[in-house]
């Protein structure tokens, strides 16, 4: 009955009473979870979001509920249309946190972990912003969108927090692992704009992952495999063993990429020896996969088993590349306009000006050179 109501209701009328509509939709989500049939709620919840949104750039309170259903039903493709949209407006800023995290590790989501995190966040009154970003990051990892997942996880761990919460801790663990997979290294320190609570506590709560990153930086497969085996139970209990194995596997790629910076030609046998692979055939499979993924440029001579490393063949002068660059420039210009608009709104916000005035008394006037010109006297 609720599903039929969501499908047949008129969007303009729903937006006149959004709180009641959101309450009904959340009750609907709770019921499908109680029946252990989350797939039944995916399509109606997506319809509800579209009817509640003034535009596709608007984040509603139903976004994290929808992504949670996508994760529990393993219906990841349904969430892609939501994940690909840029968010510039938020109904409740606290709702953005979970939205990012659910966007992250769909392939490793375990119901117990999600419910544990949700319960922890409700207790800390931080149920919104981190959960939204965590949801998005979960799905991004499941789809192997590691660059996007890093961006979302970064938002989670650097979000303002007065106390450490379960989502931030889980996000930082995955932030380290995804950094190793995507960049071949993990961030040594959180940025300065992260909360002092996060900077003081997250590393201490994620010590096995910090040590894993340190072992990874040595570039020795045997050492990291020994460490993973010794801490396998810990990684498995965190539901991160799959990501840990991907991080270990990525070390082979990093070692092969280092070889391209030193050698022009190298035999498959030499690659296997230097990268610590079992055979030339295994080295060949790794090189072929990296060529396919565009991670290296090389050519394999099947007759003598030699690999020749090449320069990037892209000349950046084709029509397709010019169109790609132009679209990127246009997107950046649009984003710049939006940022300028937000900056102007903040500069006129009474609460912001009041807080800035209080902070001004604690510092010298030289620390406030970037105050907008309109407020200069």
């Amino acid at each position: 009955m609720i599903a039929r109501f969501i499908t047949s209701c008129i969007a303009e009328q729903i937006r006149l009473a959004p709180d009641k509509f959101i309450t009904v939709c959340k009750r609907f989500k709770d019921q499908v979870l109680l029946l252990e049939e989350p797939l039944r709620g995916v399509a109606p919840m997506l319809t509800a979001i579209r009817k509640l949104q003034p535009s596709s750039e608007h984040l509603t309170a139903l976004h994290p509920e929808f992504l949670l259903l996508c994760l529990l039903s393993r219906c990841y493709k349904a969430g892609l249309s939501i994940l690909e949209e840029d968010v510039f407006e938020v109904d409740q800023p606290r709702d953005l946190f979970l939205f990012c995290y659910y966007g992250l590790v769909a392939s490793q989501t375990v119901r117990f972990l999600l419910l544990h995190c949700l319960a922890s966040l409700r207790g800390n009154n931080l149920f919104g912003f981190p959960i939204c970003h965590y949801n998005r990051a979960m799905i991004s990892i499941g789809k192997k969108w590691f660059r996007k997942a890093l961006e979302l996880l970064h938002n989670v761990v650097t979000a303002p927090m007065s106390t450490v919460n379960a989502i931030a801790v889980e996000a930082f663990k995955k932030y380290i692992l995804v950094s190793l997979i995507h960049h071949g290294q993990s961030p040594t320190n959180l940025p300065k704009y992260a909360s002092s609570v996060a900077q003081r506590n997250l590393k201490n709560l994620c010590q096995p992952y910090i040590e894993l990153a340190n072992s990874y930086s040595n570039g020795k497969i045997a050492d990291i495999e020994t460490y993973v085996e010794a801490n396998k139970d810990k990684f498995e209990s965190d539901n991160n063993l799959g990501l840990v194995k991907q991080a270990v596997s990525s070390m082979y790629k990093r070692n092969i990429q280092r070889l391209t910076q030193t050698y022009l030609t190298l035999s498959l046998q030499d690659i296997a020896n230097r990268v610590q692979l079992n055979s030339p055939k295994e080295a060949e499979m790794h090189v072929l996969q990296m060529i396919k993924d565009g991670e290296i440029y090389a050519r394999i001579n099947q007759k003598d088993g030699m690999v020749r490393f090449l320069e990037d063949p892209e000349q950046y002068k084709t029509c397709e590349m010019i169109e790609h660059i132009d679209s990127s420039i246009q997107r950046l210009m649009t984003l710049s306009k939006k940022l300028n608009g937000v900056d102007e709104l903040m500069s006129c916000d009474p609460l912001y000006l009041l807080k800035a005035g209080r902070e001004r008394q604690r510092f010298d006037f030289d620390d406030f050179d970037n105050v907008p010109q309109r407020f200069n006297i």
Side-chain angles (χ1 to χ4, degrees), residues 206-223:
C206 305
Q207 198 59 38
Y209 296 85
I210 300 294
E211 294 175 2
L212 175 70
N214 294 335
S215 179
Y216 189 101
S217 63
N218 296 331
K220 297 181 180 179
I221 298 292
D223 290 349

Side-chain angles (χ1 to χ4, degrees), residues 53-296:
Q53 279 182 310
S55 70
S56 61
E57 299 176 349
H58 201 100
L59 182 73
T60 71
L62 296 180
H63 276 72
E65 314 295 338
F66 168 70
L67 289 179
L68 177 60
L69 291 175
C70 290
L71 287 169
L72 295 179
S73 62
R74 297 185 180 276
C75 188
Y76 308 135
K77 289 186 178 180
L80 295 184
S81 59
I82 294 292
L83 294 177
E84 292 171 349
E85 296 173 352
D86 292 325
V87 174
F88 295 103
E89 298 181 27
V90 183
D91 280 344
Q92 299 176 9
R94 293 182 303 171
D95 284 337
L96 203 55
F97 214 174
L98 246 184
F99 187 53
C100 269
Y101 190 89
Y102 286 168
L104 176 129
V105 178
S107 62
Q108 300 183 17
T109 301
V110 176
R111 187 172 183 178
F112 170 79
L113 172 63
L114 290 176
L115 296 179
H116 171 72
C117 291
L118 296 181
S120 300
L121 286 174
R122 284 194 179 99
N124 289 332
N125 196 29
L126 290 169
F127 185 65
F129 175 83
I131 298 182
C132 293
H133 281 64
Y134 192 71
N135 286 355
R136 295 183 68 189
M138 294 282 278
I139 291 178
S140 295
I141 288 183
K143 299 298 292 182
K144 306 293 185 182
W145 295 350
F146 294 123
R147 185 185 65 81
K148 183 66 175 178
L150 275 177
E151 174 191 334
L152 297 168
L153 289 172
H154 181 85
N155 291 341
V156 176
V157 299
T158 59
M161 62 183 80
S162 56
T163 58
V164 178
N165 58 76
I167 287 292
V169 174
E170 294 302 319
F172 189 62
K173 293 175 182 178
K174 290 178 172 63
Y175 185 57
I176 294 172
L177 296 175
V178 176
S179 296
L180 294 177
I181 295 170
H182 188 62
H183 292 308
Q185 60 184 9
S186 73
T188 55
N189 294 301
L190 290 174
K192 293 182 179 180
Y193 49 83
S195 68
S196 58
V197 172
Q199 294 186 16
R200 285 197 307 265
N201 299 297
L202 285 183
K203 282 191 175 183
N204 294 332
L205 295 171
C206 305
Q207 198 59 38
Y209 296 85
I210 300 294
E211 294 175 2
L212 175 70
N214 294 335
S215 179
Y216 189 101
S217 63
N218 296 331
K220 297 181 180 179
I221 298 292
D223 290 349
I224 192 171
E225 287 180 341
T226 302
Y227 181 81
V228 170
E229 189 61 30
N231 295 271
K232 182 178 179 180
D233 293 340
K234 172 60 178 176
F235 296 135
E236 198 165 12
S237 66
D238 289 342
N239 301 295
N240 286 328
L241 186 58
L243 272 182
V244 170
K245 290 181 178 179
Q246 291 185 59
V248 174
S249 179
S250 70
M251 181 177 285
Y252 293 108
K253 294 183 178 181
R254 301 302 167 194
N255 290 340
I256 292 175
Q257 286 177 330
R258 291 190 186 101
L259 295 177
T260 66
Q261 301 171 8
T262 306
Y263 300 95
L264 291 177
T265 58
L266 206 60
S267 69
L268 290 171
Q269 182 63 59
D270 286 338
I271 292 176
N273 293 338
R274 294 173 184 275
V275 182
Q276 304 172 50
L277 292 168
N278 296 324
S279 65
K281 186 64 177 178
E282 192 173 346
E284 182 180 2
M285 296 306 296
H286 274 84
V287 171
L288 287 174
Q289 186 62 47
M290 294 178 71
I291 293 173
K292 180 181 177 181
D293 296 339
E295 295 174 334
I296 63 171

Side-chain angles (χ1 to χ4, degrees), residues 26 44 46 56 72 74 80 89 108 111 164 213 256 297 315 322 331 344 358-360:
K26 288 186 176 181
L46 179 59
S56 61
L72 295 179
R74 297 185 180 276
L80 295 184
E89 298 181 27
Q108 300 183 17
R111 187 172 183 178
V164 178
I256 292 175
Y297 304 97
Q315 299 295 317
I322 293 174
R331 187 171 182 274
E344 290 182 4
R358 291 174 180 171
E359 294 292 330
R360 182 188 294 264

